[in-house]
């Protein structure tokens, strides 16, 4: 067997080892990725000491910028969620949209919220707010819940500064501004089809009434009572939940949705439950858009190029680290100090945010290490030759790897990191353009977003918070998630026709 053939065979076996460690032996993802990297590196002929030096070097290279961006993004999201930003957006859009168009407003609400708020926290807070609306109108809860969850799912996997797409962009060395741009272009059709359109269709087929206990706890569907549905959470959530588990992260598996929601509500200044004490709608929207706009400004500066003062300023404020630092400092003032939080409260919020962020950083770093060892093995050159012969586009490869991992082990974050890990050496060998690499990040996100089923704790959160049977959850949540992934991927394929 030639060395190239053995490297490809070892890479396939490495995926099998990774799945075995995570699924069968329940090894934490960071450890599973690190162990797989060691096994693969030794199997393809690396000397043990040289392999350790490579692993340490790659860990540092992988996390230089990414650790800062994920940490700052986590602080920003924590401040917003505890100020009631998610509730404010949902309440305002429900009020502004008519009964005929409210599902579109909820899809938009989910898309805005999930760029910065962990998706499982958003579900805990926002889905119970829909119980009163569904009870008042007599429509199936799915009419409102599916659009909301489609927006949450899409933004959380497609759009930085959410952890999953940030991790993917970091491993792929992608331009985050281009990832945001393509995420919006691919995300809007995905939310529209998987959200309001599918929600309206499935709500006519399956009548889901709000869980009786939650309705009693919520009353009129206000923001209060979000702790009530925690009692409905599946036991699986405590071991498989955590920030973003439904889509992009299973890294904080020690916290279930009930515990997370309680922490969110305890330190919220001037709350809970009174819409009059929530932050202003436009203030929240401005804060959510601020990092995206700043990063896009930086992308514009890099496109213009040159050494002028204006370009230097644009690229400086638009650097992802600087953009999120500015946004985090603004949110600490606008949604913390200005709303009555003490410096001690802000310190505790920032510390709480760094716990789950730290696990995401470690898992992402381990994925980067795995990718570095794959590059050193020569896998990228071997795969690029094979893909040229088979005419397989890079975006298709990234989507398929992420989708296989998503279906196999359930975690969207692990699926996206694995997809990026195997696509990164391939992109390097192919000499892919910045636009192609950014579009591949979205293709990987599509694979990581779709196909949620019983091995995903997000599936069980939907099962309990919507009060559905397993069969109904497969017909609704699983189909919605698959539509998000497949619609987004169709948009990726269309865009790839115009990008070289």
């Amino acid at each position: 067997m030639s060395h190239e053939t053995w490297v490809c065979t070892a890479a396939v076996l490495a995926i099998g080892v990774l799945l075995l460690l995570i699924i069968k032996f329940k090894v934490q993802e960071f450890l599973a990725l690190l162990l797989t990297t060691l096994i693969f590196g030794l199997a393809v002929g690396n000397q043990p000491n040289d392999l350790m030096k490579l692993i340490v070097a790659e860990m540092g290279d992988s996390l230089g910028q990414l650790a800062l961006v994920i940490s700052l993004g986590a602080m920003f999201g924590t401040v917003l969620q505890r100020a009631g930003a998610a509730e404010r957006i949902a309440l305002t859009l429900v009020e502004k949209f008519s009964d005929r168009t409210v599902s579109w407003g909820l899809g938009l609400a989910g898309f805005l919220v999930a760029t910065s708020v962990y998706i499982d926290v958003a579900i805990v807070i926002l889905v119970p707010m829909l119980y009163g609306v569904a009870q008042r109108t007599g429509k199936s809860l799915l009419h409102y819940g599916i659009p909301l969850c489609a927006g949450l799912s899409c933004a959380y996997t497609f759009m930085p500064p959410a952890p999953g797409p940030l991790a993917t962009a970091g491993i792929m060395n992608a331009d985050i501004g281009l990832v945001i741009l393509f995420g919006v272009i691919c995300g809007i059709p995905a939310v529209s089809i998987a959200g309001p359109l599918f929600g309206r269709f499935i709500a006519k087929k399956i009548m889901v009434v709000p869980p009786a206990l939650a309705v009693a706890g919520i009353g009129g569907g206000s923001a209060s009572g979000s702790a009530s549905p925690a009692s409905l959470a599946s036991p699986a959530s405590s071991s498989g939940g955590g920030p973003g588990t439904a889509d992009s992260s299973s890294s904080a598996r020690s916290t279930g949705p009930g515990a997370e929601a309680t922490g969110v509500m305890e330190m919220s200044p001037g709350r809970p439950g009174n819409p009059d004490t929530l932050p202003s709608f436009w203030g929240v929207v401005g804060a959510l858009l601020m990092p995206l706009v700043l990063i896009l400004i930086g992308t514009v500066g890099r496109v213009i190029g040159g050494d002028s003062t204006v370009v230097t300023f644009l690229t400086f404020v638009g650097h992802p680290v600087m953009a999120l630092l500015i946004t985090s400092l603004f949110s600490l003032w606008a949604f913390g100090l200005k709303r009555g939080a003490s410096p001690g409260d802000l310190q505790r919020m920032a510390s709480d945010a760094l716990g789950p962020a730290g696990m995401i950083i470690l898992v992402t770093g381990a994925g980067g290490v795995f990718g570095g060892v794959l590059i050193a093995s020569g896998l990228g050159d071997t795969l690029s030759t094979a893909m040229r012969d088979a005419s397989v586009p890079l975006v298709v490869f990234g989507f398929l790897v992420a989708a296989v991992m998503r279906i196999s082990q359930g975690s969207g974050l692990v699926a996206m990191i694995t997809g990026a890990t195997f696509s990164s050496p391939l992109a390097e060998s192919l000499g892919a353009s910045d636009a192609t690499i950014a579009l591949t990040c979205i293709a990987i996100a599509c694979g990581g977003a779709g196909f949620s089923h019983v091995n995903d704790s997000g599936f069980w959160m939907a099962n309990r918070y919507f009060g559905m049977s397993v069969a109904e959850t497969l017909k609704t949540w699983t189909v919605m998630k698959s539509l998000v992934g497949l619609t987004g991927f169709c948009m990726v394929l269309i865009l790839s026709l115009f990008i070289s």
Side-chain angles (χ1 to χ4, degrees), residues 25 27 46 60 71 90 112 146 165 171-172 195 247 280 293 341 343 361 377 435 460 480:
F25 297 107
V27 177
N46 287 283
S71 299
L112 288 173
I146 290 294
I171 293 172
M172 293 286 292
D247 290 272
S280 71
V293 172
I361 290 168
S377 72
W460 296 107
M480 178 273 291

Side-chain angles (χ1 to χ4, degrees), residues 114-320:
T115 57
S116 300
V117 176
Y118 287 135
I119 190 170
D120 64 335
V121 178
I123 290 175
V124 167
I125 293 172
L126 297 182
V127 170
M129 294 174 60
L130 304 179
Y131 295 163
V133 179
Q135 188 182 39
R136 184 179 70 248
T137 62
K139 292 183 178 180
S140 173
L141 182 59
L142 297 173
H143 181 81
Y144 307 101
I146 290 294
L148 174 68
C149 290
L152 291 171
S153 174
C154 189
Y156 201 75
T157 45
F158 287 20
M159 295 288 293
L166 269 183
T168 303
I171 293 172
M172 293 286 292
N173 293 316
D175 185 316
I176 295 181
L178 290 176
V179 175
I180 291 173
L181 178 62
F182 291 143
V184 172
I185 294 173
C186 298
I188 291 174
V191 173
S192 300
I193 292 173
L197 297 179
F198 175 66
R200 185 177 303 170
F201 167 79
I202 200 65
K204 295 177 181 178
K205 304 291 184 181
I206 301 175
M207 181 63 189
V208 174
V209 297
L213 177 61
V215 171
I218 284 226
S222 69
S224 63
S226 63
S228 298
S231 61
L232 302 173
S234 164
S237 298
S238 60
S239 60
T245 307
D247 290 272
S248 298
S249 171
S250 56
S251 55
R253 297 198 170 194
S254 60
T255 56
E260 193 80 44
T262 303
V264 169
M265 302 302 288
E266 281 176 354
M267 289 179 56
S268 304
R271 289 206 300 141
N274 185 358
D276 295 334
T277 64
L278 295 174
S280 71
F281 173 76
W282 290 113
V284 171
V285 171
L288 289 171
L289 294 179
M290 184 182 294
L292 307 182
V293 172
L294 289 174
I295 291 171
L296 288 175
I297 286 173
T299 300
V300 171
R302 286 189 292 275
V303 170
I304 295 173
D307 297 324
S308 67
T309 303
V310 173
V311 170
T312 300
F313 175 76
L314 292 178
T315 53
F316 176 68
V317 300
H319 190 282

Side-chain angles (χ1 to χ4, degrees), residues 346-398:
L346 298 185
Q347 184 185 47
R348 284 191 293 275
M349 277 193 279
S351 298
D352 290 345
L354 293 178
M359 290 307 304
I360 294 171
I361 290 168
L362 286 175
V363 173
T364 304
V369 168
F370 192 14
V373 175
L374 289 175
I375 292 173
S377 72
L379 179 66
D381 294 332
T382 304
L383 282 179
S384 63
T385 301
M387 285 179 60
R388 283 194 185 100
D389 294 340
S391 300
V392 178
L394 179 62
V395 292
V396 174
F397 178 83

